[in-house]
Each structure stands twice: as structure tokens, then as C-alpha cells.
Amino acid sequence: MNFLSLYRHFFLVSLQLLFRFFDLQIKSSVILVVPLKLSVHLLDLIFHRLDVVFTWFNLLLQFSNLVVQNEFEFFQFLVLFLQIVDSLFLVLNSFVTFLNFFL
């Protein structure tokens, strides 16, 4: 073996050791990252579950608001209807003349 071949062999062996070192560094980094990633996913799952609970609560409040609003509108229409019926009753029974009704 000549000197150039020995130098090339030494260079390739050192390159191989360097690559093994980087491979071990990457594997150790991955080993550290995987539990962190799992914990982040677990926290994300917990927050999503809380979001679902609050969404149902919000839907319940929206539904109750809709019911109350519709009941309020219904009572407004009922009051208007009763006022019209009462006015017609007074005019038709001659308790109030039709001309006095518009004054």
C-alpha cells in the first residue's frame, strides 16, 4: 500500500466515523423530540375536548336565546293582534265611532 492509498483509507474511515457521530446525534435528538411531540398532541387533544364542551354550551345558550327571542316576538304579535281585535270590537259594537277612532 502506498501513502496515497493509506491517506484515502484514513480519510474514508474518519468520514465514516463522522457520519456515525451525526447519525447518533440525530437519533438522540429524535428520541428527545418524540415525547415532546406526543405531549404537545396530548395537550392539543385536551384543548379540543374543552372546545367541544364549550361549543355545546354555546349552542345551548344560542338555542335558549332563540327560544326567548321567538317567544318575545310571539307576545308582541299577540299584543298587536289583541289591540286590533279590541279596536274592531269597540268600533263594531259602536262603543267608539269610527271617526273618533282616527282622531
Side-chain angles (χ1 to χ4, degrees):
M1 265 185 35
N2 61 10
F3 182 72
L4 191 60
S5 139
L6 189 61
Y7 180 72
R8 185 183 302 165
H9 179 72
F10 178 71
F11 175 73
L12 290 175
V13 167
S14 63
L15 195 64
Q16 186 181 17
L17 286 174
L18 186 68
F19 285 149
R20 282 185 182 174
F21 175 73
F22 283 133
D23 186 51
L24 287 174
Q25 287 283 27
I26 290 172
K27 285 181 182 178
S28 65
S29 298
V30 167
I31 288 173
L32 292 175
V33 166
V34 168
L36 180 67
K37 193 173 179 182
L38 285 174
S39 65
V40 167
H41 283 298
L42 181 67
L43 283 174
D44 188 48
L45 177 71
I46 291 169
F47 286 137
H48 278 318
R49 294 209 25 125
L50 286 174
D51 190 36
V52 167
V53 170
F54 286 128
T55 302
W56 278 106
F57 184 68
N58 188 17
L59 283 174
L60 179 68
L61 289 177
Q62 291 287 336
F63 180 71
S64 65
N65 186 20
L66 181 70
V67 168
V68 168
Q69 193 175 26
N70 284 337
E71 285 182 2
F72 181 70
E73 289 176 0
F74 173 73
F75 285 130
Q76 282 180 334
F77 286 128
L78 187 64
V79 166
L80 179 67
F81 176 73
L82 289 176
Q83 285 175 351
I84 292 171
V85 168
D86 190 38
S87 300
L88 287 174
F89 178 74
L90 289 175
V91 169
L92 291 176
N93 285 332
S94 300
F95 292 129
V96 176
T97 62
F98 191 66
L99 291 174
N100 287 339
F101 183 69
F102 286 109
L103 294 177

